[in-house]
Each structure stands twice: as structure tokens, then as C-alpha cells.
Amino acid sequence: MLTVRREGEIQPGIKWGPFVLRIPFIHARFALPEFLQGICVAGATGLALVPVMTASFGLTFEEAVTMAMFHTLLISSAWFFFGDPVAPGWLTPALPFIFAFVLGGGNTPEEQFQLMTALSLNFAALLLILGTTGLGAKLIAWVPNVLKGGIILGAAVAAFIRIFDPNDAAAALNLTPIAAIASLALCMFLTFSKPFQRQAAQMPILAKIAGLGLLPAFLVAGFVGFFTGEMQFNIQSGLLDVPAHAATLWQKASPLVIGWPDTAMFLSALPLAFITYILFFGDVVTAEEMIKNSQPMRKDEKLDVNSNRLHMSTGIRNAAMAVVAPFFGTQGVLWTGIQVIVLKRWATGRDKVDSIFDGISAYYVYGFPVLFIVLPIVTLLQPLLPIALAVTLLLTGFACATLALTTVTDTTERGAMVLTAMAFALFDPWTGLLAGLATILVVVGPQVFLQKKSNVGVPLDEEVNEA
């Protein structure tokens, strides 16, 4: 039975501590447009990391899909179990740093998963401490914009290095060069081309095509890959045997089986956890501002967004992931592009969308990743997944680069920012952080840490349309 919200109140749910449980079809109604988009876009992009899991972490394709399903279940708990009126997503800008750190620091898949566990637990502890004490905003205010810009630009450099690495046998440009170039070019055109954006403002059909996110790129990649012979599609029937593959995944990845990270791993992962927190905080600021700007359009529903709760819920999700399916970077706070889509339709009125949770829950297919267990769909997408990852990294890198260059205006600080970015992209986290701090102190001066700074709201995943 659907619950009815009183005018001007928060959408009903079951309170537990600082959180609110909202049950699909009881506290959230069915929303067909978001549901259809969720099956296509959220499902397909949720599988983008599968090629990395199979090529570098020793998982079979089925085990990697099962891990992706666990990540989707956890990320859906943000609105379902914790009650945040925010569409959650990956910590996408951190992924290039994570790949470099984990793949460079672990000699075996077991060590790599242990490093993922260490990263996740470090990040979870940081979120819970800073969230419950309220020190997060103070910490971010202390970080100068030149260092923030260096981290963001470093993510861009690291992303580009991974995309165009000629030695990476699993990279899309090496596996399917023609299809990958066509797909990457189309995504850049639809997302960043100013001439196209001007035309889309006058032609609704072009705006709708751009709003499909990665789907046009997938279609073009599949078409080009098939006709050039770069891709072979082996479509299988039936359903994924989740229990069997979850059991073998548990044996390969869970710290309860392969062992917990040692102290050295936790210490080596600390700088990257701090770097990721800066990116996370930018998403929190962005989410709060987006909801604040949309709230006046709907007086009938109060959107209860709380940064401390976002800290705690994301921390809990990362801690759970560290034990069940350790792959750091998949449990963030905001998928900006989807939050924009949901808020825009929510703002059209209660007759269109009763509650924001109707749109969010439908987009995440009510927390049930049905696409992942339907083998005909999953195996159809399998050849496209390396391209999905390349597109995600390219769009994130481009967005990071454009944003980073706006964080500082002083030319000396920009030079220091570039050097800091290169240190983060090329060295391990501790060396990169120390080199960046030393560069800023020597070139810019220690006073930069004492000046009042503005928070950088970082909508870095808007163009990515990821999970």
C-alpha cells in the first residue's frame, strides 16, 4: 500500500537512527521513464569495470559480473536503506589513481584485492570520523585550491595515460581500435562540442540524443566493431548462476578468506584515501547545491539532504564493500548527470513525479540489477565493455582537466598545479602527495595554506553518465 505524503513534508519512510528506510512500491512509486533509462544506461555502465576485473584481477567474466551486481546493490542502498535524496555514483575521478596504485602495488590478485580492502576501509574510517565530528568542511577549507586543482588535473592525466597506454593489452584502443575511436569521438562530440550544443538548443531531437548518455556510443561501437570484424558476439541463453559465482568470487576476493591487509598496506593507502575524500567532498557540495536550487520549484515535498548523513552512509557502504566485493571507487555519493535528470522531471510537478524517490529508485531499477543476471543481454554487451570503460575515463579526464584549469587564476599557481598533477599521476600516492606539497610550498609559499578558500563543488561525473 502506497504511503501518502502531507503537503510540505519529507517523503515518509521507516526511521532508524539518523537514516530512513524507504521500501520500493510503498514509499516510492513506479516511474516508467526513469525505469527504462535505468535498465539501459545504469545497467550497461555498471558493467564498465568488468574488463579490468577480468584482465588484471584474476576473475572470470561471470565472477566480474557478479561483483558488479554486488556493487550496484550496495550503491542502491544509498536511497533505499539510508534515505539520501541523491542519485549515487562512482568516485570516477579517483579510478585512474586507484588503478595505478593497486595494479602497481600488488604482485598477485590476492594482494591487489587486499589493497582494495585497505583503501576502502581507510576511506570508510575517514568518512565516518569526519562525518560524525563535522570536521570534513574544516579540512577541505584548509586545502588550498592549487592542491585541489593539482589532484583533479592529476586524475585527468592518469585517465589519459590509461586510455592511450600502448602496453595495456586490455585497453579498448588496442583491442578494437576502429570501434573505440568512433565511439570516443562520438561521445566527445555529443558531450563537449559547442557547435553541437548550440544546435541541440534549437532542435529537441538532438538534445534527446545527447541525453541518452553512453547509449549512442555503444550502438556505434557495436555497429562498427561488427562490420570491421573487431568484435565477435557470442550471445548465450539462460540466467547467470549468481550463487555459484558469488562463492568462487568470495574465495578469490574477500579478506575473510584471502587475509586482511597488513599495516604497510593500510599506511600506503592513506594518501589516496585523503585524495579521494577531496573529490568526494566536492560531490557532496554539488549535491547540496543542486537540491537547494531545485527545492523552490516543489513546495509539496521537503528534500532532506544532510552532509553528515551522506558521510556516514557512504562510509558504511565502503566498509561493507571492503568485505564482500572489494573494488574501491564504486561507492560514491553522487551521479551528477542522473541527479540532474531526476530533479528536472521532479520539478515539473507532483502530477508527473510524486516524490524524488520515485525517480531515483526507478532509475536504479528499485535496487534489483536484473540486467546483470540475464545472460543474453550481458553477453551481448561483453565486447563493448572495454569501450565503456575507455569512454568513462575519457569524459572524466576531459571534465577534470577543464575544471582544474578554473580552480586557480594566478599563473604561478597554475604552473605549480601542473607539476603537482604530474606527481600524482606518475608516482605512488605518498610520493605524489609529498612532491605536490613541496612544490606548492616552494613555488607558491606557505601562506597559501592560511588564506581563506572557497570549496570546490566538483560535478565530475556529469558527463560520464556512469554508475
Side-chain angles (χ1 to χ4, degrees):
M1 182 177 180
L2 287 169
T3 58
V4 178
R5 181 184 68 256
R6 294 181 179 178
E7 187 74 14
E9 293 188 354
I10 299 170
Q11 178 69 0
I14 303 171
K15 285 189 65 64
W16 63 285
F19 309 114
V20 181
L21 170 69
R22 291 187 174 89
I23 303 173
F25 311 113
I26 295 179
H27 304 112
R29 305 187 183 196
F30 181 77
L32 181 61
E34 285 78 9
F35 179 78
L36 294 176
Q37 291 180 74
I39 289 179
C40 298
V41 180
T45 51
L47 295 169
L49 292 177
V50 166
V52 180
M53 298 177 191
T54 55
S56 303
F57 289 84
L59 299 183
T60 65
F61 177 74
E62 292 79 8
E63 290 166 348
V65 172
T66 303
M67 177 175 274
M69 186 185 70
F70 285 149
H71 294 159
T72 300
L73 289 169
L74 277 173
I75 210 166
S76 295
S77 69
W79 57 263
F80 168 70
F81 204 66
F82 299 105
D84 297 320
V86 178
W90 291 349
L91 293 157
T92 314
L95 288 177
F97 294 140
I98 295 165
F99 293 153
F101 171 69
V102 173
L103 297 179
N107 296 319
T108 63
E110 289 78 11
E111 290 182 1
Q112 291 165 355
F113 279 122
Q114 287 175 333
L115 285 171
M116 285 290 190
T117 297
L119 274 171
S120 301
L121 292 178
N122 279 351
F123 187 61
L126 190 63
L127 289 176
L128 292 171
I129 292 171
L130 296 179
T132 54
T133 61
L135 293 175
K138 295 180 180 179
L139 175 63
I140 295 297
W142 175 80
V143 177
N145 284 343
V146 61
L147 180 56
K148 294 177 185 176
I151 291 172
I152 297 168
L153 186 59
V157 174
F160 296 148
I161 289 174
R162 181 160 188 86
I163 294 169
F164 300 107
D165 183 2
N167 298 316
D168 185 356
L173 284 173
N174 296 327
L175 290 172
T176 55
I178 301 174
I181 291 172
S183 178
L184 294 172
L186 178 61
C187 274
M188 288 293 293
F189 177 74
L190 294 178
T191 305
F192 295 111
S193 170
K194 288 186 176 182
F196 175 79
Q197 291 170 0
R198 285 193 292 267
Q199 290 297 318
Q202 301 173 8
M203 302 176 63
I205 184 63
L206 295 181
K208 289 182 179 180
I209 293 173
L212 293 174
L214 298 183
L215 282 183
F218 283 170
L219 292 174
V220 168
F223 180 83
V224 173
F226 178 78
F227 283 98
T228 59
E230 290 183 337
M231 294 181 183
Q232 287 77 41
F233 293 88
N234 180 23
I235 301 175
Q236 302 175 19
S237 60
L239 300 176
L240 183 70
D241 188 353
V242 175
H245 297 303
T248 56
L249 172 65
W250 180 268
Q251 294 294 321
K252 291 182 179 181
S254 174
L256 296 175
V257 176
I258 65 175
W260 294 91
D262 56 29
T263 303
M265 288 184 176
F266 279 107
L267 290 176
S268 64
L270 272 177
L272 186 49
F274 171 72
I275 290 168
T276 306
Y277 179 76
I278 293 177
L279 301 170
F280 162 86
F281 192 87
D283 279 346
V284 171
V285 173
T286 302
E288 290 180 332
E289 288 301 312
M290 292 172 70
I291 289 177
K292 180 181 177 181
N293 292 335
S294 300
Q295 183 67 79
M297 303 176 191
R298 287 283 300 268
K299 301 292 186 182
D300 62 285
E301 180 180 12
K302 180 182 177 182
L303 301 185
D304 177 29
V305 60
N306 182 287
S307 63
N308 289 337
R309 185 177 64 204
L310 289 171
H311 275 73
M312 289 186 286
S313 64
T314 309
I316 293 171
R317 284 191 282 119
N318 274 273
M321 178 194 62
V323 177
V324 177
F327 209 95
F328 185 57
T330 62
Q331 300 300 314
V333 69
L334 177 67
W335 185 350
T336 313
I338 303 315
Q339 186 74 5
V340 168
I341 293 171
V342 171
L343 281 173
K344 281 185 177 179
R345 204 163 98 86
W346 175 80
T348 60
R350 191 169 186 175
D351 58 325
K352 299 292 192 302
V353 182
D354 179 71
S355 168
I356 192 172
F357 290 98
D358 299 356
I360 294 175
S361 60
Y363 203 95
Y364 292 85
V365 199
Y366 304 99
F368 307 110
V370 291
L371 179 147
F372 292 3
I373 65 174
V374 181
L375 283 177
I377 300 176
V378 174
T379 52
L380 174 65
L381 293 173
Q382 185 175 359
L384 301 173
L385 296 181
I387 291 178
L389 178 60
V391 167
T392 298
L393 292 175
L394 178 67
L395 298 183
T396 298
F398 192 90
C400 286
T402 56
L403 177 68
L405 295 175
T406 67
T407 57
V408 295
T409 56
D410 180 81
T411 55
T412 302
E413 290 190 2
R414 279 187 174 172
M417 182 183 72
V418 171
L419 290 175
T420 301
M422 296 304 297
F424 280 124
L426 298 176
F427 302 139
D428 64 85
W430 271 115
T431 305
L433 181 60
L434 293 175
L437 289 173
T439 300
I440 293 169
L441 287 171
V442 172
V443 177
V444 183
Q447 74 280 355
V448 74
F449 289 91
L450 305 175
Q451 298 169 354
K452 185 177 180 181
K453 306 134 195 119
S454 60
N455 288 326
V456 178
V458 191
L460 293 177
D461 56 358
E462 179 173 356
E463 296 84 357
V464 179
N465 284 337
E466 35 107 278

